[in-house]
Amino acid sequence: MATTVESKVSSDTKVLQSYLGGKWQAGAEGGAALVNPTTGDTLASASSKGLDLKAAMEYSRNVGGAELRQLTYGQRAELLGKIADALAARRDEWFEISRKNSGNTKTDASIDVDGSIGTLKYFAKIGAKLGDARRLRDGAPMRLAKDVNFQGLHMGVPLTGVAVHINAFNFPAWGLWEKAAVSLLAGVPVLAKPATSTAWLAQEMVSAVIEAGILPPGALSILCGSPYDLLDHLQQGDVVGFTGSADTGDAIRRHARMRQQNVRLNIEADSLNAALLGPDAIPDSPLAGYFVREVMREMTLKAGQKCTAIRRVLVPEEQAAAVTEAIAALLRAVVVGDPANPTVNMGPVVNMTQRKTVEEGIRKLNAQAAFAYRPANFSPVDANLEKGAFVPPTLLTVRSGSDADMVNELEVFGPVATVVPYRDKENAFDLARRGGGSLTASVLSNDTAFLAEAGVALGTTHGRLLLVDPSIGDSHTGHGIVLPSLMHGGPGRAGGGEELGGLQGLWFYHQRVAMQGSAATLTAMSEGAVDPGGNERG
Ligand code: NAP
């Protein structure tokens, strides 16, 4: 049972503790500050200095892994359902923390908090279908030689290590649970490492689950504060799931221990996602309306701090001026300020450091792109611009995407996008691909044949494609929303990773083994195994 989750170092500053080795532990000193980006006030601090991470990982492997593997997939799915219920019961508290520590409006917080609860529920539901099995199989035994009795079968056995999940600051709830749901269902214990700047929500959620006594000992741990020597203790059988910047992803990939032990790694990194308005689009048509609204939403949701947000707006050159003006008109109506004010549509970015990084990014883009919309007298509602990390929604435009490298190379992680005119469809596809590998792109057209062509043309450089004709203009789930039933990840710059994807996501946490033997042996082996099959919705 958990002891206290946090202690006070001063009258108003919390110290976030880490839950490692089955107990709450504080680092050796105060550590990094977590701030309210609206006011600049310090909310909490987190330090992991001096914590025994080697012992923590051993505990996860030896205690958590063994406990989880005693359960069937069905039993573990039930645990996910209980986690979702425990979290849903305290939804209002999570929204409050999101507002304070991430500057989230209610809509922003919902994407993170409700997104995490929904993902857990989804895996609880589809995991239940795997029933009493404890291993995976891929299809049925197949004949391998002249002797029909000699057969082969691909099987998946749950990994015996620990899953280290290193997350980005922008989704402290969803980032934690979208990874943990799949890992726990697979039977692999989780050691989560949230980004320090917004770790409060992740830590409180883990605390709620630990206190509710839902999971067996060692199944779920959390490290709040810097990673220090975390990666030095990885070993064969462990996995690392990383979400964050390409630079950090690269450092993790090159870490000596990762290479020596060939630790399995999934990277979800930067992305220069595009939205492409088809050449057939007519100004002021319903299709153009869907397009500009989606661009505005993607720029302002979570103040543009979504890995999937639209950064490049590809439009036919003869329509560039009209589309730019239509987006600018929508941005003009966006109310920026303290998310506690119900009229506010967009809050601050996560902290002053990030604000400076975004402002620097805008300056770099502006060297090649002109401002198409940037409020003249930016004055966030109920907030002090000196103290709050506010960035105005900023739309830029280039004359030709082919001449402007920066827009295809620099991810400005804030409420910023650039309109890029294209000549014809080949030019449009070429520009979309110049993102160097992206998580997602949206293509909007009245012409379903064009959409199908775009899907194939962009498929090699994208992880997900949203192909919208007017029949789904109002009903699709949105450019930036990641669904648990579909794979999330992208090639190249986006990290080359694959997460979620329904039950297919389980394979990352299993060792795939090619079993060869007699029909009788393989039949015996298949007992207690289940084919996770396709990804039909549960
Ligand atoms: P970041 O600075 O790369 O940090 C990500 C995580 O890595 C944090 O938990 C950080 O811990 C940790 N970390 C830093 N250095 C490390 C090291 N040497 N070894 C192990 N862990 C280390 O990224 P961020 O600023 O939090 O997030 C923004 C970026 O994430 C954007 O570029 C965005 O595109 C990307 N992102 C991608 C996705 C996706 O699904 N593809 C989703 C969300 C965000 P500390 O916080 O303690 O430094």
Side-chain angles (χ1 to χ4, degrees), residues 166-171 193-197 225-227 231 242-245 248 251-252 268-271 307 354 411 413 439 488 494:
I166 302 172
N167 286 316
F169 74 78
N170 55 339
F171 283 108
K193 158 52 194 120
T196 304
S197 56
S226 293
L231 302 183
F242 170 76
T243 299
S245 64
T248 309
I252 292 174
E268 301 291 344
D270 307 359
S271 187
C307 55
Q354 195 62 19
E411 182 204 44
F413 207 59
L439 292 171
H488 170 59

PDB file of all heavy atoms in Angstrom, residues 166-171 193-197 225-227 231 242-245 248 251-252 268-271 307 354 411 413 439 488 494, ligand 1:
ATOM      1  N   ILE A 166       9.425   6.659 -21.740  1.00  0.00           N
ATOM      2  CA  ILE A 166       9.904   8.041 -21.545  1.00  0.00           C
ATOM      3  C   ILE A 166       8.996   8.958 -22.361  1.00  0.00           C
ATOM      4  O   ILE A 166       8.902   8.814 -23.585  1.00  0.00           O
ATOM      5  CB  ILE A 166      11.370   8.168 -22.024  1.00  0.00           C
ATOM      6  CG1 ILE A 166      12.252   7.176 -21.255  1.00  0.00           C
ATOM      7  CG2 ILE A 166      11.868   9.601 -21.832  1.00  0.00           C
ATOM      8  CD1 ILE A 166      13.677   7.079 -21.771  1.00  0.00           C
ATOM      9  N   ASN A 167       8.324   9.875 -21.673  1.00  0.00           N
ATOM     10  CA  ASN A 167       7.273  10.641 -22.351  1.00  0.00           C
ATOM     11  C   ASN A 167       7.579  12.122 -22.491  1.00  0.00           C
ATOM     12  O   ASN A 167       8.382  12.684 -21.745  1.00  0.00           O
ATOM     13  CB  ASN A 167       5.948  10.443 -21.606  1.00  0.00           C
ATOM     14  CG  ASN A 167       5.384   9.055 -21.867  1.00  0.00           C
ATOM     15  OD1 ASN A 167       5.380   8.596 -23.017  1.00  0.00           O
ATOM     16  ND2 ASN A 167       4.968   8.371 -20.836  1.00  0.00           N
ATOM     17  N   ALA A 168       6.876  12.744 -23.444  1.00  0.00           N
ATOM     18  CA  ALA A 168       7.032  14.179 -23.719  1.00  0.00           C
ATOM     19  C   ALA A 168       6.125  14.999 -22.792  1.00  0.00           C
ATOM     20  O   ALA A 168       5.213  14.469 -22.170  1.00  0.00           O
ATOM     21  CB  ALA A 168       6.677  14.465 -25.173  1.00  0.00           C
ATOM     22  N   PHE A 169       6.376  16.306 -22.741  1.00  0.00           N
ATOM     23  CA  PHE A 169       5.651  17.149 -21.793  1.00  0.00           C
ATOM     24  C   PHE A 169       4.208  17.415 -22.173  1.00  0.00           C
ATOM     25  O   PHE A 169       3.388  17.782 -21.339  1.00  0.00           O
ATOM     26  CB  PHE A 169       6.382  18.489 -21.602  1.00  0.00           C
ATOM     27  CG  PHE A 169       6.252  19.434 -22.768  1.00  0.00           C
ATOM     28  CD1 PHE A 169       5.089  20.176 -22.958  1.00  0.00           C
ATOM     29  CD2 PHE A 169       7.284  19.587 -23.686  1.00  0.00           C
ATOM     30  CE1 PHE A 169       4.963  21.045 -24.037  1.00  0.00           C
ATOM     31  CE2 PHE A 169       7.161  20.450 -24.764  1.00  0.00           C
ATOM     32  CZ  PHE A 169       5.995  21.177 -24.940  1.00  0.00           C
ATOM     33  N   ASN A 170       3.871  17.253 -23.459  1.00  0.00           N
ATOM     34  CA  ASN A 170       2.576  17.776 -23.912  1.00  0.00           C
ATOM     35  C   ASN A 170       1.390  16.877 -23.602  1.00  0.00           C
ATOM     36  O   ASN A 170       0.259  17.345 -23.608  1.00  0.00           O
ATOM     37  CB  ASN A 170       2.636  18.111 -25.408  1.00  0.00           C
ATOM     38  CG  ASN A 170       3.069  16.939 -26.241  1.00  0.00           C
ATOM     39  OD1 ASN A 170       3.689  16.008 -25.748  1.00  0.00           O
ATOM     40  ND2 ASN A 170       2.744  16.959 -27.513  1.00  0.00           N
ATOM     41  N   PHE A 171       1.637  15.573 -23.358  1.00  0.00           N
ATOM     42  CA  PHE A 171       0.528  14.683 -23.000  1.00  0.00           C
ATOM     43  C   PHE A 171       0.888  13.863 -21.763  1.00  0.00           C
ATOM     44  O   PHE A 171       1.133  12.656 -21.865  1.00  0.00           O
ATOM     45  CB  PHE A 171       0.182  13.755 -24.174  1.00  0.00           C
ATOM     46  CG  PHE A 171      -0.605  14.424 -25.262  1.00  0.00           C
ATOM     47  CD1 PHE A 171      -0.017  14.721 -26.482  1.00  0.00           C
ATOM     48  CD2 PHE A 171      -1.938  14.769 -25.059  1.00  0.00           C
ATOM     49  CE1 PHE A 171      -0.736  15.357 -27.489  1.00  0.00           C
ATOM     50  CE2 PHE A 171      -2.662  15.405 -26.064  1.00  0.00           C
ATOM     51  CZ  PHE A 171      -2.067  15.692 -27.273  1.00  0.00           C
ATOM     52  N   LYS A 193       8.500   7.361 -17.167  1.00  0.00           N
ATOM     53  CA  LYS A 193       9.329   8.540 -16.885  1.00  0.00           C
ATOM     54  C   LYS A 193       8.675   9.721 -17.619  1.00  0.00           C
ATOM     55  O   LYS A 193       8.931   9.970 -18.799  1.00  0.00           O
ATOM     56  CB  LYS A 193      10.749   8.237 -17.354  1.00  0.00           C
ATOM     57  CG  LYS A 193      11.704   9.357 -17.653  1.00  0.00           C
ATOM     58  CD  LYS A 193      11.901  10.400 -16.602  1.00  0.00           C
ATOM     59  CE  LYS A 193      12.607  11.589 -17.233  1.00  0.00           C
ATOM     60  NZ  LYS A 193      11.789  12.808 -17.135  1.00  0.00           N
ATOM     61  N   PRO A 194       7.756  10.433 -16.919  1.00  0.00           N
ATOM     62  CA  PRO A 194       7.126  11.588 -17.569  1.00  0.00           C
ATOM     63  C   PRO A 194       8.127  12.723 -17.728  1.00  0.00           C
ATOM     64  O   PRO A 194       9.109  12.793 -16.982  1.00  0.00           O
ATOM     65  CB  PRO A 194       6.020  11.978 -16.582  1.00  0.00           C
ATOM     66  CG  PRO A 194       6.470  11.474 -15.252  1.00  0.00           C
ATOM     67  CD  PRO A 194       7.351  10.272 -15.509  1.00  0.00           C
ATOM     68  N   ALA A 195       7.863  13.624 -18.675  1.00  0.00           N
ATOM     69  CA  ALA A 195       8.690  14.833 -18.789  1.00  0.00           C
ATOM     70  C   ALA A 195       8.550  15.608 -17.480  1.00  0.00           C
ATOM     71  O   ALA A 195       7.444  15.752 -16.949  1.00  0.00           O
ATOM     72  CB  ALA A 195       8.213  15.676 -19.962  1.00  0.00           C
ATOM     73  N   THR A 196       9.645  16.098 -16.975  1.00  0.00           N
ATOM     74  CA  THR A 196       9.637  16.702 -15.644  1.00  0.00           C
ATOM     75  C   THR A 196       8.699  17.903 -15.561  1.00  0.00           C
ATOM     76  O   THR A 196       7.979  18.067 -14.572  1.00  0.00           O
ATOM     77  CB  THR A 196      11.070  17.108 -15.249  1.00  0.00           C
ATOM     78  OG1 THR A 196      11.897  15.939 -15.335  1.00  0.00           O
ATOM     79  CG2 THR A 196      11.124  17.664 -13.835  1.00  0.00           C
ATOM     80  N   SER A 197       8.672  18.724 -16.617  1.00  0.00           N
ATOM     81  CA  SER A 197       7.930  19.996 -16.533  1.00  0.00           C
ATOM     82  C   SER A 197       6.438  19.816 -16.272  1.00  0.00           C
ATOM     83  O   SER A 197       5.801  20.706 -15.711  1.00  0.00           O
ATOM     84  CB  SER A 197       8.156  20.825 -17.804  1.00  0.00           C
ATOM     85  OG  SER A 197       7.798  20.063 -18.920  1.00  0.00           O
ATOM     86  N   GLY A 225      11.432  13.346 -12.350  1.00  0.00           N
ATOM     87  CA  GLY A 225      12.714  14.041 -12.319  1.00  0.00           C
ATOM     88  C   GLY A 225      13.598  13.540 -13.455  1.00  0.00           C
ATOM     89  O   GLY A 225      13.150  12.777 -14.315  1.00  0.00           O
ATOM     90  N   SER A 226      14.833  13.970 -13.444  1.00  0.00           N
ATOM     91  CA  SER A 226      15.743  13.626 -14.544  1.00  0.00           C
ATOM     92  C   SER A 226      15.999  12.124 -14.633  1.00  0.00           C
ATOM     93  O   SER A 226      15.949  11.433 -13.622  1.00  0.00           O
ATOM     94  CB  SER A 226      17.093  14.318 -14.329  1.00  0.00           C
ATOM     95  OG  SER A 226      16.912  15.692 -14.452  1.00  0.00           O
ATOM     96  N   PRO A 227      16.304  11.653 -15.844  1.00  0.00           N
ATOM     97  CA  PRO A 227      16.511  10.200 -15.989  1.00  0.00           C
ATOM     98  C   PRO A 227      17.833   9.697 -15.383  1.00  0.00           C
ATOM     99  O   PRO A 227      17.958   8.520 -15.084  1.00  0.00           O
ATOM    100  CB  PRO A 227      16.503   9.991 -17.511  1.00  0.00           C
ATOM    101  CG  PRO A 227      16.776  11.333 -18.105  1.00  0.00           C
ATOM    102  CD  PRO A 227      16.281  12.354 -17.141  1.00  0.00           C
ATOM    103  N   LEU A 231      19.110   4.600 -18.252  1.00  0.00           N
ATOM    104  CA  LEU A 231      19.388   3.738 -19.408  1.00  0.00           C
ATOM    105  C   LEU A 231      20.576   2.804 -19.162  1.00  0.00           C
ATOM    106  O   LEU A 231      20.708   1.779 -19.838  1.00  0.00           O
ATOM    107  CB  LEU A 231      19.637   4.591 -20.662  1.00  0.00           C
ATOM    108  CG  LEU A 231      18.504   5.546 -21.079  1.00  0.00           C
ATOM    109  CD1 LEU A 231      18.866   6.274 -22.371  1.00  0.00           C
ATOM    110  CD2 LEU A 231      17.178   4.818 -21.257  1.00  0.00           C
ATOM    111  N   PHE A 242       9.889   5.664 -26.370  1.00  0.00           N
ATOM    112  CA  PHE A 242      10.238   7.080 -26.188  1.00  0.00           C
ATOM    113  C   PHE A 242       9.329   7.973 -27.022  1.00  0.00           C
ATOM    114  O   PHE A 242       9.111   7.715 -28.213  1.00  0.00           O
ATOM    115  CB  PHE A 242      11.698   7.329 -26.591  1.00  0.00           C
ATOM    116  CG  PHE A 242      12.035   8.799 -26.664  1.00  0.00           C
ATOM    117  CD1 PHE A 242      12.235   9.541 -25.515  1.00  0.00           C
ATOM    118  CD2 PHE A 242      12.104   9.455 -27.891  1.00  0.00           C
ATOM    119  CE1 PHE A 242      12.501  10.909 -25.569  1.00  0.00           C
ATOM    120  CE2 PHE A 242      12.369  10.815 -27.970  1.00  0.00           C
ATOM    121  CZ  PHE A 242      12.574  11.545 -26.796  1.00  0.00           C
ATOM    122  N   THR A 243       8.853   9.053 -26.419  1.00  0.00           N
ATOM    123  CA  THR A 243       8.158  10.114 -27.147  1.00  0.00           C
ATOM    124  C   THR A 243       8.808  11.429 -26.767  1.00  0.00           C
ATOM    125  O   THR A 243       8.938  11.739 -25.582  1.00  0.00           O
ATOM    126  CB  THR A 243       6.670  10.159 -26.776  1.00  0.00           C
ATOM    127  OG1 THR A 243       6.074   8.916 -27.124  1.00  0.00           O
ATOM    128  CG2 THR A 243       5.951  11.263 -27.540  1.00  0.00           C
ATOM    129  N   GLY A 244       9.218  12.195 -27.752  1.00  0.00           N
ATOM    130  CA  GLY A 244       9.844  13.478 -27.463  1.00  0.00           C
ATOM    131  C   GLY A 244      10.547  14.017 -28.683  1.00  0.00           C
ATOM    132  O   GLY A 244      10.194  13.679 -29.821  1.00  0.00           O
ATOM    133  N   SER A 245      11.539  14.839 -28.455  1.00  0.00           N
ATOM    134  CA  SER A 245      12.197  15.493 -29.587  1.00  0.00           C
ATOM    135  C   SER A 245      13.136  14.525 -30.305  1.00  0.00           C
ATOM    136  O   SER A 245      13.616  13.542 -29.724  1.00  0.00           O
ATOM    137  CB  SER A 245      12.986  16.698 -29.088  1.00  0.00           C
ATOM    138  OG  SER A 245      14.013  16.260 -28.230  1.00  0.00           O
ATOM    139  N   THR A 248      16.616  14.115 -28.519  1.00  0.00           N
ATOM    140  CA  THR A 248      16.667  13.188 -27.382  1.00  0.00           C
ATOM    141  C   THR A 248      16.533  11.745 -27.884  1.00  0.00           C
ATOM    142  O   THR A 248      17.221  10.844 -27.400  1.00  0.00           O
ATOM    143  CB  THR A 248      15.548  13.504 -26.355  1.00  0.00           C
ATOM    144  OG1 THR A 248      15.594  14.891 -26.044  1.00  0.00           O
ATOM    145  CG2 THR A 248      15.719  12.701 -25.094  1.00  0.00           C
ATOM    146  N   ALA A 251      19.812  10.632 -29.026  1.00  0.00           N
ATOM    147  CA  ALA A 251      20.741  10.345 -27.912  1.00  0.00           C
ATOM    148  C   ALA A 251      20.417   8.987 -27.294  1.00  0.00           C
ATOM    149  O   ALA A 251      21.327   8.217 -26.938  1.00  0.00           O
ATOM    150  CB  ALA A 251      20.637  11.452 -26.857  1.00  0.00           C
ATOM    151  N   ILE A 252      19.139   8.672 -27.179  1.00  0.00           N
ATOM    152  CA  ILE A 252      18.753   7.376 -26.597  1.00  0.00           C
ATOM    153  C   ILE A 252      19.167   6.240 -27.537  1.00  0.00           C
ATOM    154  O   ILE A 252      19.719   5.226 -27.108  1.00  0.00           O
ATOM    155  CB  ILE A 252      17.230   7.354 -26.315  1.00  0.00           C
ATOM    156  CG1 ILE A 252      16.913   8.338 -25.185  1.00  0.00           C
ATOM    157  CG2 ILE A 252      16.748   5.947 -25.974  1.00  0.00           C
ATOM    158  CD1 ILE A 252      15.437   8.532 -24.901  1.00  0.00           C
ATOM    159  N   GLU A 268       8.845   7.945 -31.009  1.00  0.00           N
ATOM    160  CA  GLU A 268       7.834   8.845 -31.574  1.00  0.00           C
ATOM    161  C   GLU A 268       8.407  10.244 -31.427  1.00  0.00           C
ATOM    162  O   GLU A 268       8.530  10.741 -30.305  1.00  0.00           O
ATOM    163  CB  GLU A 268       6.523   8.737 -30.788  1.00  0.00           C
ATOM    164  CG  GLU A 268       5.902   7.359 -30.756  1.00  0.00           C
ATOM    165  CD  GLU A 268       5.368   6.928 -32.096  1.00  0.00           C
ATOM    166  OE1 GLU A 268       5.193   7.782 -32.968  1.00  0.00           O
ATOM    167  OE2 GLU A 268       5.153   5.722 -32.275  1.00  0.00           O
ATOM    168  N   ALA A 269       8.765  10.878 -32.525  1.00  0.00           N
ATOM    169  CA  ALA A 269       9.497  12.151 -32.416  1.00  0.00           C
ATOM    170  C   ALA A 269       8.796  13.270 -33.180  1.00  0.00           C
ATOM    171  O   ALA A 269       7.594  13.250 -33.382  1.00  0.00           O
ATOM    172  CB  ALA A 269      10.937  11.951 -32.887  1.00  0.00           C
ATOM    173  N   ASP A 270       9.593  14.254 -33.578  1.00  0.00           N
ATOM    174  CA  ASP A 270       9.060  15.465 -34.237  1.00  0.00           C
ATOM    175  C   ASP A 270       8.329  15.110 -35.539  1.00  0.00           C
ATOM    176  O   ASP A 270       8.578  14.070 -36.133  1.00  0.00           O
ATOM    177  CB  ASP A 270      10.194  16.402 -34.648  1.00  0.00           C
ATOM    178  CG  ASP A 270      11.122  16.729 -33.499  1.00  0.00           C
ATOM    179  OD1 ASP A 270      10.871  16.249 -32.392  1.00  0.00           O
ATOM    180  OD2 ASP A 270      12.090  17.455 -33.734  1.00  0.00           O
ATOM    181  N   SER A 271       7.527  16.046 -35.982  1.00  0.00           N
ATOM    182  CA  SER A 271       6.838  15.798 -37.241  1.00  0.00           C
ATOM    183  C   SER A 271       6.345  17.104 -37.848  1.00  0.00           C
ATOM    184  O   SER A 271       5.819  17.964 -37.142  1.00  0.00           O
ATOM    185  CB  SER A 271       5.650  14.863 -36.989  1.00  0.00           C
ATOM    186  OG  SER A 271       5.063  14.474 -38.192  1.00  0.00           O
ATOM    187  N   CYS A 307       2.139  16.675 -31.310  1.00  0.00           N
ATOM    188  CA  CYS A 307       3.093  16.140 -32.295  1.00  0.00           C
ATOM    189  C   CYS A 307       2.433  15.978 -33.653  1.00  0.00           C
ATOM    190  O   CYS A 307       3.098  15.983 -34.682  1.00  0.00           O
ATOM    191  CB  CYS A 307       3.641  14.818 -31.814  1.00  0.00           C
ATOM    192  SG  CYS A 307       2.336  13.637 -31.428  1.00  0.00           S
ATOM    193  N   GLN A 354       9.912  27.216 -23.287  1.00  0.00           N
ATOM    194  CA  GLN A 354       9.255  26.786 -24.521  1.00  0.00           C
ATOM    195  C   GLN A 354       8.777  28.006 -25.313  1.00  0.00           C
ATOM    196  O   GLN A 354       8.852  28.034 -26.537  1.00  0.00           O
ATOM    197  CB  GLN A 354       8.089  25.854 -24.161  1.00  0.00           C
ATOM    198  CG  GLN A 354       7.544  25.059 -25.337  1.00  0.00           C
ATOM    199  CD  GLN A 354       8.554  24.125 -25.972  1.00  0.00           C
ATOM    200  OE1 GLN A 354       9.560  23.779 -25.367  1.00  0.00           O
ATOM    201  NE2 GLN A 354       8.317  23.736 -27.218  1.00  0.00           N
ATOM    202  N   GLU A 411      10.387  22.117 -36.861  1.00  0.00           N
ATOM    203  CA  GLU A 411       9.120  21.947 -36.158  1.00  0.00           C
ATOM    204  C   GLU A 411       9.024  23.020 -35.076  1.00  0.00           C
ATOM    205  O   GLU A 411       9.779  23.004 -34.104  1.00  0.00           O
ATOM    206  CB  GLU A 411       9.051  20.564 -35.492  1.00  0.00           C
ATOM    207  CG  GLU A 411       7.720  20.303 -34.785  1.00  0.00           C
ATOM    208  CD  GLU A 411       7.814  19.257 -33.681  1.00  0.00           C
ATOM    209  OE1 GLU A 411       8.768  19.284 -32.894  1.00  0.00           O
ATOM    210  OE2 GLU A 411       6.921  18.404 -33.631  1.00  0.00           O
ATOM    211  N   PHE A 413       7.031  24.110 -32.157  1.00  0.00           N
ATOM    212  CA  PHE A 413       6.059  23.387 -31.330  1.00  0.00           C
ATOM    213  C   PHE A 413       5.173  24.371 -30.560  1.00  0.00           C
ATOM    214  O   PHE A 413       5.272  24.525 -29.344  1.00  0.00           O
ATOM    215  CB  PHE A 413       6.831  22.460 -30.379  1.00  0.00           C
ATOM    216  CG  PHE A 413       6.059  21.243 -29.957  1.00  0.00           C
ATOM    217  CD1 PHE A 413       5.591  20.333 -30.904  1.00  0.00           C
ATOM    218  CD2 PHE A 413       5.805  20.986 -28.622  1.00  0.00           C
ATOM    219  CE1 PHE A 413       4.883  19.203 -30.525  1.00  0.00           C
ATOM    220  CE2 PHE A 413       5.098  19.864 -28.230  1.00  0.00           C
ATOM    221  CZ  PHE A 413       4.640  18.973 -29.175  1.00  0.00           C
ATOM    222  N   LEU A 439       4.163  12.014 -38.986  1.00  0.00           N
ATOM    223  CA  LEU A 439       3.188  11.184 -38.290  1.00  0.00           C
ATOM    224  C   LEU A 439       1.886  11.108 -39.075  1.00  0.00           C
ATOM    225  O   LEU A 439       1.274  10.051 -39.174  1.00  0.00           O
ATOM    226  CB  LEU A 439       2.886  11.773 -36.910  1.00  0.00           C
ATOM    227  CG  LEU A 439       4.026  11.727 -35.908  1.00  0.00           C
ATOM    228  CD1 LEU A 439       3.678  12.537 -34.674  1.00  0.00           C
ATOM    229  CD2 LEU A 439       4.323  10.290 -35.518  1.00  0.00           C
ATOM    230  N   HIS A 488      -0.054   4.390 -34.478  1.00  0.00           N
ATOM    231  CA  HIS A 488       0.452   5.761 -34.339  1.00  0.00           C
ATOM    232  C   HIS A 488       1.970   5.724 -34.467  1.00  0.00           C
ATOM    233  O   HIS A 488       2.636   4.960 -33.768  1.00  0.00           O
ATOM    234  CB  HIS A 488       0.052   6.332 -32.980  1.00  0.00           C
ATOM    235  CG  HIS A 488       0.713   7.640 -32.651  1.00  0.00           C
ATOM    236  ND1 HIS A 488       0.575   8.762 -33.441  1.00  0.00           N
ATOM    237  CD2 HIS A 488       1.532   8.014 -31.635  1.00  0.00           C
ATOM    238  CE1 HIS A 488       1.266   9.767 -32.914  1.00  0.00           C
ATOM    239  NE2 HIS A 488       1.864   9.337 -31.821  1.00  0.00           N
ATOM    240  N   ALA A 494       9.915  11.454 -38.050  1.00  0.00           N
ATOM    241  CA  ALA A 494       8.936  11.152 -36.991  1.00  0.00           C
ATOM    242  C   ALA A 494       9.411  10.036 -36.069  1.00  0.00           C
ATOM    243  O   ALA A 494       8.718   9.706 -35.104  1.00  0.00           O
ATOM    244  CB  ALA A 494       7.588  10.811 -37.610  1.00  0.00           C
TER     245      ALA A 494
HETATM  246  P1  NAP B   1      12.276  16.081 -24.945  1.00  0.00           P
HETATM  247  O1  NAP B   1      12.931  17.280 -24.401  1.00  0.00           O
HETATM  248  O2  NAP B   1      12.987  15.295 -25.976  1.00  0.00           O
HETATM  249  O3  NAP B   1      11.946  15.174 -23.654  1.00  0.00           O
HETATM  250  C1  NAP B   1      11.198  13.988 -23.777  1.00  0.00           C
HETATM  251  C2  NAP B   1      11.479  13.078 -22.595  1.00  0.00           C
HETATM  252  O4  NAP B   1      12.826  12.598 -22.665  1.00  0.00           O
HETATM  253  C3  NAP B   1      11.352  13.751 -21.235  1.00  0.00           C
HETATM  254  O5  NAP B   1      10.756  12.842 -20.342  1.00  0.00           O
HETATM  255  C4  NAP B   1      12.801  14.019 -20.842  1.00  0.00           C
HETATM  256  O6  NAP B   1      12.986  14.110 -19.456  1.00  0.00           O
HETATM  257  C5  NAP B   1      13.449  12.773 -21.399  1.00  0.00           C
HETATM  258  N1  NAP B   1      14.882  12.878 -21.632  1.00  0.00           N
HETATM  259  C6  NAP B   1      15.616  13.972 -21.920  1.00  0.00           C
HETATM  260  N2  NAP B   1      16.903  13.635 -22.104  1.00  0.00           N
HETATM  261  C7  NAP B   1      16.986  12.293 -21.928  1.00  0.00           C
HETATM  262  C8  NAP B   1      18.049  11.357 -21.967  1.00  0.00           C
HETATM  263  N3  NAP B   1      19.295  11.721 -22.252  1.00  0.00           N
HETATM  264  N4  NAP B   1      17.771  10.066 -21.715  1.00  0.00           N
HETATM  265  C9  NAP B   1      16.530   9.676 -21.426  1.00  0.00           C
HETATM  266  N5  NAP B   1      15.476  10.515 -21.375  1.00  0.00           N
HETATM  267  C10 NAP B   1      15.696  11.808 -21.627  1.00  0.00           C
HETATM  268  O7  NAP B   1      10.850  16.422 -25.565  1.00  0.00           O
HETATM  269  P2  NAP B   1       9.699  17.367 -24.987  1.00  0.00           P
HETATM  270  O8  NAP B   1      10.205  18.770 -25.062  1.00  0.00           O
HETATM  271  O9  NAP B   1       9.213  16.845 -23.674  1.00  0.00           O
HETATM  272  O10 NAP B   1       8.529  17.134 -26.027  1.00  0.00           O
HETATM  273  C11 NAP B   1       8.357  17.890 -27.218  1.00  0.00           C
HETATM  274  C12 NAP B   1       8.727  17.087 -28.431  1.00  0.00           C
HETATM  275  O11 NAP B   1       8.072  15.823 -28.390  1.00  0.00           O
HETATM  276  C13 NAP B   1       8.278  17.723 -29.730  1.00  0.00           C
HETATM  277  O12 NAP B   1       9.341  17.724 -30.623  1.00  0.00           O
HETATM  278  C14 NAP B   1       7.168  16.814 -30.236  1.00  0.00           C
HETATM  279  O13 NAP B   1       7.064  16.734 -31.633  1.00  0.00           O
HETATM  280  C15 NAP B   1       7.543  15.510 -29.666  1.00  0.00           C
HETATM  281  N6  NAP B   1       6.369  14.666 -29.489  1.00  0.00           N
HETATM  282  C16 NAP B   1       6.188  13.604 -30.310  1.00  0.00           C
HETATM  283  C17 NAP B   1       5.066  12.802 -30.156  1.00  0.00           C
HETATM  284  C18 NAP B   1       4.840  11.615 -31.037  1.00  0.00           C
HETATM  285  O14 NAP B   1       3.955  10.825 -30.733  1.00  0.00           O
HETATM  286  N7  NAP B   1       5.546  11.455 -32.111  1.00  0.00           N
HETATM  287  C19 NAP B   1       4.144  13.080 -29.145  1.00  0.00           C
HETATM  288  C20 NAP B   1       4.367  14.170 -28.338  1.00  0.00           C
HETATM  289  C21 NAP B   1       5.486  14.965 -28.514  1.00  0.00           C
HETATM  290  P3  NAP B   1      13.052  15.551 -18.713  1.00  0.00           P
HETATM  291  O15 NAP B   1      11.739  16.204 -18.946  1.00  0.00           O
HETATM  292  O16 NAP B   1      13.284  15.195 -17.299  1.00  0.00           O
HETATM  293  O17 NAP B   1      14.183  16.292 -19.367  1.00  0.00           O
END
